[in-house]
Amino acid sequence: MSKQRIAIIGAGPSGMAALRAFTSAQQAGAQIPDIVCYEKQDDWGGQWNYNWRSGIDRHGEPVHSSMYRNLWSNAPKEALEFAEYTFDQHFGRPVSSYPPRAALWDYIDGRVRRSNVKDKVQFSTAVRWVEYNREEDNFTVTVENLKSQTTSSSEFDRVIVATGHFSYPNVPDFKGIETFPGTLHHAHDFRGAEKLADKRVLLIGASYSAEDIGVQAFKMGARAVTMSYRTAPMGYDWPEGMEELPIVDHFDGETVHFSDGQTREFDAVIMCTGYLHKYPFLPSDLALHSRNNIYPGGLYRGVVWQKNPKLFYLGAQDQWFTFNMFDAQAWYVRDLIMGRAELPSAEQRAAHMRSWRTRFQALDGDADEVRFQADYIRDLITATDYPMFDLDEVVRIFLEWKADKKNNILTYRDKPHRSVMTGTMAAEHHTTWLNELDDSLERYLSTPEATEVEEMV
Ligand code: FAD
Ligand code: NA7
């Protein structure tokens, strides 16, 4: 029998998890399918592969990453740690719980670099179209090599979509916004908060981006930061100079009118209004349409496209858990593809999806969501040989993190947590998040003299 051919679209953390899942089976002696991973950027890491560009890249492609220079992990690294490649293994010593972007990129890169899989990735190659061939029961994948500007098509037995869903900005309209004379961006194009020093900044939205860009702006010396919510305020105990107001009613030049009648003047507006699930390379019967939530419809066990179970999605959920959830998904998809796990009938899959969906719809608040996602991951790991880890303890870490943020939104990142994988207590970073202005890996791993740290305070 000829070997199956598998296409992985995207080499972000989810695509890298798929590459790692297959090589881990290979290292254990199994015959694995032929794998080709297409990645439109010139390196892997997805969102974590920071790019100073915004808008359109040098090939005329939409820039993928929404990350900014100053980004540090927004949850403890102990909640995202791989069960089969720990932070201790990677860094060789305890590091702090909230690493900056470059340190997390180094960690995910380190794991796959050791497994020799980079030659399976075709970089600077954008997938343009995926077609299911009913008669052959396979897919034709058409790609463009962005450097040579040549297109080509190949056939695959299965396709894994791992292109992420925090890249295409959701940009609402507001009455009068065209009269605003200051700078106006979506969070997707935000690259650093330095320029916000001394500015009056409006962030529209009440989730991770508004919260984090808000505290970044505060840290970098913004004169005033206002965050505007549609449904509910984040409700943190904001420091003086930061506030939450209800939704924007309209703009009138630099003056913004809020729905409760208050007005403020601004120099800069950043829409932190989330992202669209968008898969421009997929026909509508293969493309996921969903809001950003933790149980999108149409995906059995969150990964198998119910309408065509030869198509898989990784990382399509909103994310409390990240890297280790992508692993659990990738291991399960690998096992389905390699025939190690059995795919239930369409009816059984539908019944399974209905029962999880019912539970999902009854969730009440963040703690419920975290527990739901932990159970979801447990269900996947149980079906594979991915090392099980103490998911209840990770839930506890998430809840502690939430309480730390409630306690002080400016200091939660200074707190160490204990690894559920190794039992190692994280190090305390040499400099507090509020005082650390150098986000580089070198600085993160350095051990500055105490006097140098004191001088920064
Ligand atoms: P992505 O990282 O988005 O990777 C998708 C890949 O697919 C990209 O490399 C892209 O170039 C490629 N691709 C897309 N389209 C095509 C195409 N047509 N052809 C070929 N390749 C294509 N998670 C955390 O755990 N901690 C954090 O602190 C954190 N902060 C975040 C901050 C921001 C601003 C954002 C946007 C996300 C953050 N996340 C964080 C969540 C993040 O989504 C995950 O950590 C992770 O990057 C998701 O991995 P992914 O592989 O599913 O998607
Ligand atoms: P999220 O978490 O999807 O949140 C989007 C926010 O935008 C949310 O508060 C929405 O309010 C708000 N929103 C959406 N549309 C509107 C309109 N029309 N008006 C006002 N507010 C609106 O996106 P984030 O960018 O914060 O986070 C995405 C990822 O990036 C996340 O995983 C992090 O790790 C980093 P709602 O609550 O729905 O009323």
Side-chain angles (χ1 to χ4, degrees), residues 10 12-14 38-41 46-48 64 66-67 71 73-74 80 125-127 162-164 166 281 319 322-323 326:
S14 294
Y38 297 111
E39 170 52 58
K40 73 175 198 172
Q41 302 188 59
Q47 291 284 352
W48 299 90
H64 182 82
S66 306
M67 283 204 183
L71 187 135
S73 180
N74 57 18
L80 56 77
T125 304
V127 172
T163 49
F166 296 127
F281 50 87
Q319 294 149 16
T322 54
F323 301 163
F326 308 149

PDB file of all heavy atoms in Angstrom, residues 10 12-14 38-41 46-48 64 66-67 71 73-74 80 125-127 162-164 166 281 319 322-323 326, ligand 1:
ATOM      1  N   GLY A  10       0.229  25.705   7.807  1.00  0.00           N
ATOM      2  CA  GLY A  10       0.632  26.592   8.899  1.00  0.00           C
ATOM      3  C   GLY A  10       1.627  25.910   9.824  1.00  0.00           C
ATOM      4  O   GLY A  10       1.439  24.758  10.219  1.00  0.00           O
ATOM      5  N   GLY A  12       2.670  27.369  12.842  1.00  0.00           N
ATOM      6  CA  GLY A  12       2.651  28.025  14.147  1.00  0.00           C
ATOM      7  C   GLY A  12       2.698  26.934  15.206  1.00  0.00           C
ATOM      8  O   GLY A  12       2.924  25.755  14.889  1.00  0.00           O
ATOM      9  N   PRO A  13       2.462  27.268  16.469  1.00  0.00           N
ATOM     10  CA  PRO A  13       2.483  26.252  17.521  1.00  0.00           C
ATOM     11  C   PRO A  13       1.614  25.030  17.214  1.00  0.00           C
ATOM     12  O   PRO A  13       2.013  23.904  17.526  1.00  0.00           O
ATOM     13  CB  PRO A  13       1.980  27.019  18.746  1.00  0.00           C
ATOM     14  CG  PRO A  13       2.450  28.422  18.496  1.00  0.00           C
ATOM     15  CD  PRO A  13       2.315  28.634  17.013  1.00  0.00           C
ATOM     16  N   SER A  14       0.463  25.207  16.558  1.00  0.00           N
ATOM     17  CA  SER A  14      -0.398  24.049  16.257  1.00  0.00           C
ATOM     18  C   SER A  14       0.225  23.172  15.169  1.00  0.00           C
ATOM     19  O   SER A  14       0.281  21.945  15.311  1.00  0.00           O
ATOM     20  CB  SER A  14      -1.790  24.499  15.811  1.00  0.00           C
ATOM     21  OG  SER A  14      -2.463  25.131  16.858  1.00  0.00           O
ATOM     22  N   TYR A  38       3.065  23.549   4.837  1.00  0.00           N
ATOM     23  CA  TYR A  38       3.212  24.813   4.103  1.00  0.00           C
ATOM     24  C   TYR A  38       3.108  25.973   5.088  1.00  0.00           C
ATOM     25  O   TYR A  38       2.134  26.046   5.864  1.00  0.00           O
ATOM     26  CB  TYR A  38       2.117  24.954   3.049  1.00  0.00           C
ATOM     27  CG  TYR A  38       2.169  23.889   1.985  1.00  0.00           C
ATOM     28  CD1 TYR A  38       1.180  22.912   1.906  1.00  0.00           C
ATOM     29  CD2 TYR A  38       3.207  23.851   1.055  1.00  0.00           C
ATOM     30  CE1 TYR A  38       1.219  21.924   0.920  1.00  0.00           C
ATOM     31  CE2 TYR A  38       3.252  22.867   0.062  1.00  0.00           C
ATOM     32  CZ  TYR A  38       2.262  21.915   0.011  1.00  0.00           C
ATOM     33  OH  TYR A  38       2.294  20.944  -0.961  1.00  0.00           O
ATOM     34  N   GLU A  39       4.061  26.865   5.038  1.00  0.00           N
ATOM     35  CA  GLU A  39       4.067  28.023   5.945  1.00  0.00           C
ATOM     36  C   GLU A  39       4.353  29.276   5.134  1.00  0.00           C
ATOM     37  O   GLU A  39       5.360  29.351   4.437  1.00  0.00           O
ATOM     38  CB  GLU A  39       5.127  27.824   7.033  1.00  0.00           C
ATOM     39  CG  GLU A  39       5.401  29.049   7.887  1.00  0.00           C
ATOM     40  CD  GLU A  39       4.145  29.698   8.492  1.00  0.00           C
ATOM     41  OE1 GLU A  39       3.412  29.016   9.209  1.00  0.00           O
ATOM     42  OE2 GLU A  39       3.904  30.903   8.195  1.00  0.00           O
ATOM     43  N   LYS A  40       3.471  30.244   5.246  1.00  0.00           N
ATOM     44  CA  LYS A  40       3.648  31.418   4.381  1.00  0.00           C
ATOM     45  C   LYS A  40       4.730  32.377   4.885  1.00  0.00           C
ATOM     46  O   LYS A  40       5.282  33.152   4.112  1.00  0.00           O
ATOM     47  CB  LYS A  40       2.322  32.131   4.137  1.00  0.00           C
ATOM     48  CG  LYS A  40       1.768  32.904   5.295  1.00  0.00           C
ATOM     49  CD  LYS A  40       0.518  33.657   4.840  1.00  0.00           C
ATOM     50  CE  LYS A  40       0.217  34.768   5.825  1.00  0.00           C
ATOM     51  NZ  LYS A  40      -0.842  35.642   5.362  1.00  0.00           N
ATOM     52  N   GLN A  41       5.058  32.319   6.182  1.00  0.00           N
ATOM     53  CA  GLN A  41       6.154  33.164   6.685  1.00  0.00           C
ATOM     54  C   GLN A  41       7.487  32.472   6.397  1.00  0.00           C
ATOM     55  O   GLN A  41       7.520  31.301   6.023  1.00  0.00           O
ATOM     56  CB  GLN A  41       6.003  33.391   8.186  1.00  0.00           C
ATOM     57  CG  GLN A  41       4.671  34.038   8.568  1.00  0.00           C
ATOM     58  CD  GLN A  41       4.623  34.422  10.046  1.00  0.00           C
ATOM     59  OE1 GLN A  41       5.441  35.196  10.526  1.00  0.00           O
ATOM     60  NE2 GLN A  41       3.653  33.871  10.766  1.00  0.00           N
ATOM     61  N   GLY A  46       4.496  30.959  14.061  1.00  0.00           N
ATOM     62  CA  GLY A  46       3.168  31.576  13.955  1.00  0.00           C
ATOM     63  C   GLY A  46       3.136  32.962  14.587  1.00  0.00           C
ATOM     64  O   GLY A  46       3.966  33.817  14.283  1.00  0.00           O
ATOM     65  N   GLN A  47       2.190  33.165  15.498  1.00  0.00           N
ATOM     66  CA  GLN A  47       2.061  34.463  16.177  1.00  0.00           C
ATOM     67  C   GLN A  47       3.359  34.852  16.878  1.00  0.00           C
ATOM     68  O   GLN A  47       3.669  36.032  17.037  1.00  0.00           O
ATOM     69  CB  GLN A  47       0.940  34.386  17.237  1.00  0.00           C
ATOM     70  CG  GLN A  47      -0.461  34.263  16.683  1.00  0.00           C
ATOM     71  CD  GLN A  47      -0.979  35.579  16.125  1.00  0.00           C
ATOM     72  OE1 GLN A  47      -0.368  36.639  16.274  1.00  0.00           O
ATOM     73  NE2 GLN A  47      -2.123  35.512  15.470  1.00  0.00           N
ATOM     74  N   TRP A  48       4.115  33.856  17.323  1.00  0.00           N
ATOM     75  CA  TRP A  48       5.303  34.132  18.148  1.00  0.00           C
ATOM     76  C   TRP A  48       6.494  34.563  17.300  1.00  0.00           C
ATOM     77  O   TRP A  48       7.522  34.995  17.816  1.00  0.00           O
ATOM     78  CB  TRP A  48       5.646  32.902  19.001  1.00  0.00           C
ATOM     79  CG  TRP A  48       4.505  32.582  19.920  1.00  0.00           C
ATOM     80  CD1 TRP A  48       3.452  31.752  19.654  1.00  0.00           C
ATOM     81  CD2 TRP A  48       4.238  33.178  21.197  1.00  0.00           C
ATOM     82  NE1 TRP A  48       2.555  31.772  20.693  1.00  0.00           N
ATOM     83  CE2 TRP A  48       3.018  32.634  21.665  1.00  0.00           C
ATOM     84  CE3 TRP A  48       4.907  34.104  22.011  1.00  0.00           C
ATOM     85  CZ2 TRP A  48       2.450  32.991  22.890  1.00  0.00           C
ATOM     86  CZ3 TRP A  48       4.348  34.462  23.229  1.00  0.00           C
ATOM     87  CH2 TRP A  48       3.134  33.901  23.659  1.00  0.00           C
ATOM     88  N   HIS A  64       0.786  38.087   9.145  1.00  0.00           N
ATOM     89  CA  HIS A  64       0.019  37.157   9.983  1.00  0.00           C
ATOM     90  C   HIS A  64      -0.014  37.560  11.457  1.00  0.00           C
ATOM     91  O   HIS A  64      -1.053  37.585  12.089  1.00  0.00           O
ATOM     92  CB  HIS A  64       0.587  35.736   9.865  1.00  0.00           C
ATOM     93  CG  HIS A  64      -0.199  34.763  10.669  1.00  0.00           C
ATOM     94  ND1 HIS A  64      -1.377  34.197  10.220  1.00  0.00           N
ATOM     95  CD2 HIS A  64      -0.022  34.295  11.929  1.00  0.00           C
ATOM     96  CE1 HIS A  64      -1.880  33.409  11.158  1.00  0.00           C
ATOM     97  NE2 HIS A  64      -1.074  33.462  12.200  1.00  0.00           N
ATOM     98  N   SER A  66      -0.059  39.115  15.133  1.00  0.00           N
ATOM     99  CA  SER A  66      -0.660  40.264  15.816  1.00  0.00           C
ATOM    100  C   SER A  66       0.161  40.628  17.048  1.00  0.00           C
ATOM    101  O   SER A  66      -0.292  41.420  17.877  1.00  0.00           O
ATOM    102  CB  SER A  66      -2.086  39.915  16.252  1.00  0.00           C
ATOM    103  OG  SER A  66      -2.844  39.451  15.165  1.00  0.00           O
ATOM    104  N   MET A  67       1.320  40.024  17.202  1.00  0.00           N
ATOM    105  CA  MET A  67       2.076  40.257  18.444  1.00  0.00           C
ATOM    106  C   MET A  67       2.908  41.527  18.378  1.00  0.00           C
ATOM    107  O   MET A  67       3.317  41.954  17.316  1.00  0.00           O
ATOM    108  CB  MET A  67       2.959  39.055  18.758  1.00  0.00           C
ATOM    109  CG  MET A  67       2.145  37.940  19.337  1.00  0.00           C
ATOM    110  SD  MET A  67       3.126  36.838  20.323  1.00  0.00           S
ATOM    111  CE  MET A  67       1.863  35.633  20.730  1.00  0.00           C
ATOM    112  N   LEU A  71       5.388  42.215  24.231  1.00  0.00           N
ATOM    113  CA  LEU A  71       4.490  41.188  24.777  1.00  0.00           C
ATOM    114  C   LEU A  71       5.220  40.199  25.689  1.00  0.00           C
ATOM    115  O   LEU A  71       6.257  39.657  25.324  1.00  0.00           O
ATOM    116  CB  LEU A  71       3.820  40.431  23.623  1.00  0.00           C
ATOM    117  CG  LEU A  71       2.738  39.451  24.050  1.00  0.00           C
ATOM    118  CD1 LEU A  71       1.508  39.600  23.157  1.00  0.00           C
ATOM    119  CD2 LEU A  71       3.205  38.012  24.039  1.00  0.00           C
ATOM    120  N   SER A  73       4.167  36.721  28.163  1.00  0.00           N
ATOM    121  CA  SER A  73       3.085  35.746  28.318  1.00  0.00           C
ATOM    122  C   SER A  73       1.974  36.348  29.181  1.00  0.00           C
ATOM    123  O   SER A  73       2.256  36.967  30.209  1.00  0.00           O
ATOM    124  CB  SER A  73       3.643  34.488  28.984  1.00  0.00           C
ATOM    125  OG  SER A  73       2.607  33.562  29.122  1.00  0.00           O
ATOM    126  N   ASN A  74       0.728  36.144  28.744  1.00  0.00           N
ATOM    127  CA  ASN A  74      -0.357  36.750  29.524  1.00  0.00           C
ATOM    128  C   ASN A  74      -0.934  35.786  30.559  1.00  0.00           C
ATOM    129  O   ASN A  74      -1.819  36.133  31.319  1.00  0.00           O
ATOM    130  CB  ASN A  74      -1.455  37.315  28.594  1.00  0.00           C
ATOM    131  CG  ASN A  74      -2.022  36.267  27.655  1.00  0.00           C
ATOM    132  OD1 ASN A  74      -1.866  35.065  27.890  1.00  0.00           O
ATOM    133  ND2 ASN A  74      -2.679  36.711  26.591  1.00  0.00           N
ATOM    134  N   LEU A  80       0.934  26.334  30.097  1.00  0.00           N
ATOM    135  CA  LEU A  80       1.047  25.983  28.671  1.00  0.00           C
ATOM    136  C   LEU A  80       2.184  25.001  28.394  1.00  0.00           C
ATOM    137  O   LEU A  80       2.376  24.561  27.257  1.00  0.00           O
ATOM    138  CB  LEU A  80       1.202  27.245  27.810  1.00  0.00           C
ATOM    139  CG  LEU A  80       2.343  28.228  28.114  1.00  0.00           C
ATOM    140  CD1 LEU A  80       3.673  27.725  27.622  1.00  0.00           C
ATOM    141  CD2 LEU A  80       2.042  29.591  27.487  1.00  0.00           C
ATOM    142  N   THR A 125       5.639  29.885   1.591  1.00  0.00           N
ATOM    143  CA  THR A 125       4.715  29.213   0.664  1.00  0.00           C
ATOM    144  C   THR A 125       3.295  29.331   1.213  1.00  0.00           C
ATOM    145  O   THR A 125       2.988  28.784   2.273  1.00  0.00           O
ATOM    146  CB  THR A 125       5.103  27.727   0.497  1.00  0.00           C
ATOM    147  OG1 THR A 125       6.464  27.667   0.068  1.00  0.00           O
ATOM    148  CG2 THR A 125       4.216  27.036  -0.509  1.00  0.00           C
ATOM    149  N   ALA A 126       2.480  30.067   0.508  1.00  0.00           N
ATOM    150  CA  ALA A 126       1.096  30.296   0.971  1.00  0.00           C
ATOM    151  C   ALA A 126       0.159  29.316   0.287  1.00  0.00           C
ATOM    152  O   ALA A 126       0.230  29.134  -0.938  1.00  0.00           O
ATOM    153  CB  ALA A 126       0.677  31.724   0.638  1.00  0.00           C
ATOM    154  N   VAL A 127      -0.702  28.695   1.075  1.00  0.00           N
ATOM    155  CA  VAL A 127      -1.729  27.830   0.492  1.00  0.00           C
ATOM    156  C   VAL A 127      -2.812  28.729  -0.084  1.00  0.00           C
ATOM    157  O   VAL A 127      -3.338  29.612   0.594  1.00  0.00           O
ATOM    158  CB  VAL A 127      -2.299  26.861   1.548  1.00  0.00           C
ATOM    159  CG1 VAL A 127      -3.504  26.112   0.992  1.00  0.00           C
ATOM    160  CG2 VAL A 127      -1.220  25.883   1.989  1.00  0.00           C
ATOM    161  N   ALA A 162      -4.000  24.487  10.255  1.00  0.00           N
ATOM    162  CA  ALA A 162      -3.407  25.001  11.509  1.00  0.00           C
ATOM    163  C   ALA A 162      -2.983  26.449  11.290  1.00  0.00           C
ATOM    164  O   ALA A 162      -1.856  26.837  11.573  1.00  0.00           O
ATOM    165  CB  ALA A 162      -2.217  24.129  11.911  1.00  0.00           C
ATOM    166  N   THR A 163      -3.922  27.250  10.766  1.00  0.00           N
ATOM    167  CA  THR A 163      -3.566  28.616  10.371  1.00  0.00           C
ATOM    168  C   THR A 163      -3.935  29.664  11.420  1.00  0.00           C
ATOM    169  O   THR A 163      -3.770  30.859  11.178  1.00  0.00           O
ATOM    170  CB  THR A 163      -4.236  28.973   9.023  1.00  0.00           C
ATOM    171  OG1 THR A 163      -5.624  28.639   9.097  1.00  0.00           O
ATOM    172  CG2 THR A 163      -3.593  28.218   7.879  1.00  0.00           C
ATOM    173  N   GLY A 164      -4.440  29.223  12.587  1.00  0.00           N
ATOM    174  CA  GLY A 164      -4.744  30.181  13.649  1.00  0.00           C
ATOM    175  C   GLY A 164      -5.982  31.007  13.337  1.00  0.00           C
ATOM    176  O   GLY A 164      -6.532  30.954  12.232  1.00  0.00           O
ATOM    177  N   PHE A 166      -6.319  34.403  15.037  1.00  0.00           N
ATOM    178  CA  PHE A 166      -6.158  35.737  15.625  1.00  0.00           C
ATOM    179  C   PHE A 166      -5.344  36.609  14.678  1.00  0.00           C
ATOM    180  O   PHE A 166      -4.370  37.249  15.080  1.00  0.00           O
ATOM    181  CB  PHE A 166      -5.474  35.642  16.995  1.00  0.00           C
ATOM    182  CG  PHE A 166      -6.277  34.899  18.027  1.00  0.00           C
ATOM    183  CD1 PHE A 166      -5.729  33.838  18.728  1.00  0.00           C
ATOM    184  CD2 PHE A 166      -7.590  35.274  18.298  1.00  0.00           C
ATOM    185  CE1 PHE A 166      -6.469  33.157  19.680  1.00  0.00           C
ATOM    186  CE2 PHE A 166      -8.340  34.593  19.245  1.00  0.00           C
ATOM    187  CZ  PHE A 166      -7.782  33.530  19.947  1.00  0.00           C
ATOM    188  N   PHE A 281      -8.483  30.078   1.814  1.00  0.00           N
ATOM    189  CA  PHE A 281      -8.030  29.002   0.924  1.00  0.00           C
ATOM    190  C   PHE A 281      -8.988  27.806   0.950  1.00  0.00           C
ATOM    191  O   PHE A 281      -8.674  26.757   0.368  1.00  0.00           O
ATOM    192  CB  PHE A 281      -6.613  28.547   1.339  1.00  0.00           C
ATOM    193  CG  PHE A 281      -6.506  28.255   2.811  1.00  0.00           C
ATOM    194  CD1 PHE A 281      -6.821  27.004   3.305  1.00  0.00           C
ATOM    195  CD2 PHE A 281      -6.121  29.245   3.703  1.00  0.00           C
ATOM    196  CE1 PHE A 281      -6.758  26.739   4.666  1.00  0.00           C
ATOM    197  CE2 PHE A 281      -6.046  28.989   5.066  1.00  0.00           C
ATOM    198  CZ  PHE A 281      -6.363  27.728   5.545  1.00  0.00           C
ATOM    199  N   GLN A 319      -8.687  30.227  23.580  1.00  0.00           N
ATOM    200  CA  GLN A 319      -7.649  29.488  24.306  1.00  0.00           C
ATOM    201  C   GLN A 319      -7.400  29.982  25.733  1.00  0.00           C
ATOM    202  O   GLN A 319      -6.940  31.102  25.933  1.00  0.00           O
ATOM    203  CB  GLN A 319      -6.342  29.581  23.487  1.00  0.00           C
ATOM    204  CG  GLN A 319      -6.467  28.859  22.164  1.00  0.00           C
ATOM    205  CD  GLN A 319      -5.630  29.456  21.045  1.00  0.00           C
ATOM    206  OE1 GLN A 319      -4.715  30.246  21.290  1.00  0.00           O
ATOM    207  NE2 GLN A 319      -5.927  29.082  19.814  1.00  0.00           N
ATOM    208  N   THR A 322      -3.025  26.545  25.845  1.00  0.00           N
ATOM    209  CA  THR A 322      -2.531  26.729  24.477  1.00  0.00           C
ATOM    210  C   THR A 322      -1.624  25.570  24.069  1.00  0.00           C
ATOM    211  O   THR A 322      -2.105  24.535  23.614  1.00  0.00           O
ATOM    212  CB  THR A 322      -1.827  28.094  24.298  1.00  0.00           C
ATOM    213  OG1 THR A 322      -0.803  28.245  25.293  1.00  0.00           O
ATOM    214  CG2 THR A 322      -2.807  29.241  24.367  1.00  0.00           C
ATOM    215  N   PHE A 323      -0.315  25.702  24.270  1.00  0.00           N
ATOM    216  CA  PHE A 323       0.625  24.755  23.643  1.00  0.00           C
ATOM    217  C   PHE A 323       0.312  23.282  23.977  1.00  0.00           C
ATOM    218  O   PHE A 323       0.379  22.422  23.107  1.00  0.00           O
ATOM    219  CB  PHE A 323       2.076  25.059  24.041  1.00  0.00           C
ATOM    220  CG  PHE A 323       2.548  26.440  23.679  1.00  0.00           C
ATOM    221  CD1 PHE A 323       3.688  26.976  24.267  1.00  0.00           C
ATOM    222  CD2 PHE A 323       1.869  27.229  22.750  1.00  0.00           C
ATOM    223  CE1 PHE A 323       4.135  28.260  23.950  1.00  0.00           C
ATOM    224  CE2 PHE A 323       2.299  28.511  22.422  1.00  0.00           C
ATOM    225  CZ  PHE A 323       3.434  29.026  23.032  1.00  0.00           C
ATOM    226  N   PHE A 326      -2.708  22.148  22.045  1.00  0.00           N
ATOM    227  CA  PHE A 326      -2.422  21.862  20.629  1.00  0.00           C
ATOM    228  C   PHE A 326      -1.759  20.492  20.517  1.00  0.00           C
ATOM    229  O   PHE A 326      -1.997  19.753  19.559  1.00  0.00           O
ATOM    230  CB  PHE A 326      -1.512  22.925  20.008  1.00  0.00           C
ATOM    231  CG  PHE A 326      -1.981  24.353  20.191  1.00  0.00           C
ATOM    232  CD1 PHE A 326      -1.063  25.396  20.283  1.00  0.00           C
ATOM    233  CD2 PHE A 326      -3.339  24.653  20.276  1.00  0.00           C
ATOM    234  CE1 PHE A 326      -1.491  26.713  20.453  1.00  0.00           C
ATOM    235  CE2 PHE A 326      -3.770  25.971  20.452  1.00  0.00           C
ATOM    236  CZ  PHE A 326      -2.843  26.997  20.547  1.00  0.00           C
TER     237      PHE A 326
HETATM  238  P1  FAD B   1      -0.765  30.842  14.768  1.00  0.00           P
HETATM  239  O1  FAD B   1       0.234  31.076  15.828  1.00  0.00           O
HETATM  240  O2  FAD B   1      -1.602  31.983  14.342  1.00  0.00           O
HETATM  241  O3  FAD B   1      -0.001  30.202  13.494  1.00  0.00           O
HETATM  242  C1  FAD B   1      -0.640  29.978  12.266  1.00  0.00           C
HETATM  243  C2  FAD B   1       0.402  29.851  11.163  1.00  0.00           C
HETATM  244  O4  FAD B   1      -0.255  29.587   9.911  1.00  0.00           O
HETATM  245  C3  FAD B   1       1.231  31.116  10.944  1.00  0.00           C
HETATM  246  O5  FAD B   1       2.601  30.805  10.985  1.00  0.00           O
HETATM  247  C4  FAD B   1       0.799  31.623   9.566  1.00  0.00           C
HETATM  248  O6  FAD B   1       1.824  32.299   8.868  1.00  0.00           O
HETATM  249  C5  FAD B   1       0.384  30.329   8.877  1.00  0.00           C
HETATM  250  N1  FAD B   1      -0.561  30.547   7.782  1.00  0.00           N
HETATM  251  C6  FAD B   1      -1.718  31.247   7.818  1.00  0.00           C
HETATM  252  N2  FAD B   1      -2.323  31.202   6.623  1.00  0.00           N
HETATM  253  C7  FAD B   1      -1.541  30.458   5.807  1.00  0.00           C
HETATM  254  C8  FAD B   1      -1.638  30.042   4.446  1.00  0.00           C
HETATM  255  N3  FAD B   1      -2.694  30.379   3.680  1.00  0.00           N
HETATM  256  N4  FAD B   1      -0.638  29.287   3.936  1.00  0.00           N
HETATM  257  C9  FAD B   1       0.427  28.924   4.685  1.00  0.00           C
HETATM  258  N5  FAD B   1       0.566  29.290   5.984  1.00  0.00           N
HETATM  259  C10 FAD B   1      -0.414  30.038   6.536  1.00  0.00           C
HETATM  260  N6  FAD B   1      -1.015  32.302  23.833  1.00  0.00           N
HETATM  261  C11 FAD B   1      -0.367  32.008  24.980  1.00  0.00           C
HETATM  262  O7  FAD B   1      -0.261  30.844  25.342  1.00  0.00           O
HETATM  263  N7  FAD B   1       0.192  32.987  25.756  1.00  0.00           N
HETATM  264  C12 FAD B   1       0.151  34.288  25.380  1.00  0.00           C
HETATM  265  O8  FAD B   1       0.668  35.168  26.080  1.00  0.00           O
HETATM  266  C13 FAD B   1      -0.511  34.631  24.154  1.00  0.00           C
HETATM  267  N8  FAD B   1      -0.542  35.903  23.731  1.00  0.00           N
HETATM  268  C14 FAD B   1      -1.123  36.194  22.539  1.00  0.00           C
HETATM  269  C15 FAD B   1      -1.095  37.505  22.112  1.00  0.00           C
HETATM  270  C16 FAD B   1      -1.644  37.857  20.895  1.00  0.00           C
HETATM  271  C17 FAD B   1      -1.585  39.278  20.444  1.00  0.00           C
HETATM  272  C18 FAD B   1      -2.263  36.854  20.097  1.00  0.00           C
HETATM  273  C19 FAD B   1      -2.879  37.221  18.787  1.00  0.00           C
HETATM  274  C20 FAD B   1      -2.305  35.545  20.524  1.00  0.00           C
HETATM  275  C21 FAD B   1      -1.739  35.197  21.750  1.00  0.00           C
HETATM  276  N9  FAD B   1      -1.745  33.887  22.234  1.00  0.00           N
HETATM  277  C22 FAD B   1      -1.105  33.587  23.405  1.00  0.00           C
HETATM  278  C23 FAD B   1      -2.524  32.831  21.565  1.00  0.00           C
HETATM  279  C24 FAD B   1      -1.898  32.251  20.293  1.00  0.00           C
HETATM  280  O9  FAD B   1      -2.973  32.168  19.419  1.00  0.00           O
HETATM  281  C25 FAD B   1      -1.278  30.869  20.517  1.00  0.00           C
HETATM  282  O10 FAD B   1      -0.249  30.951  21.481  1.00  0.00           O
HETATM  283  C26 FAD B   1      -0.671  30.244  19.258  1.00  0.00           C
HETATM  284  O11 FAD B   1       0.154  31.140  18.568  1.00  0.00           O
HETATM  285  C27 FAD B   1      -1.697  29.651  18.300  1.00  0.00           C
HETATM  286  O12 FAD B   1      -1.005  28.818  17.423  1.00  0.00           O
HETATM  287  P2  FAD B   1      -1.569  28.375  15.992  1.00  0.00           P
HETATM  288  O13 FAD B   1      -0.483  27.592  15.369  1.00  0.00           O
HETATM  289  O14 FAD B   1      -2.889  27.744  16.169  1.00  0.00           O
HETATM  290  O15 FAD B   1      -1.814  29.720  15.202  1.00  0.00           O
END
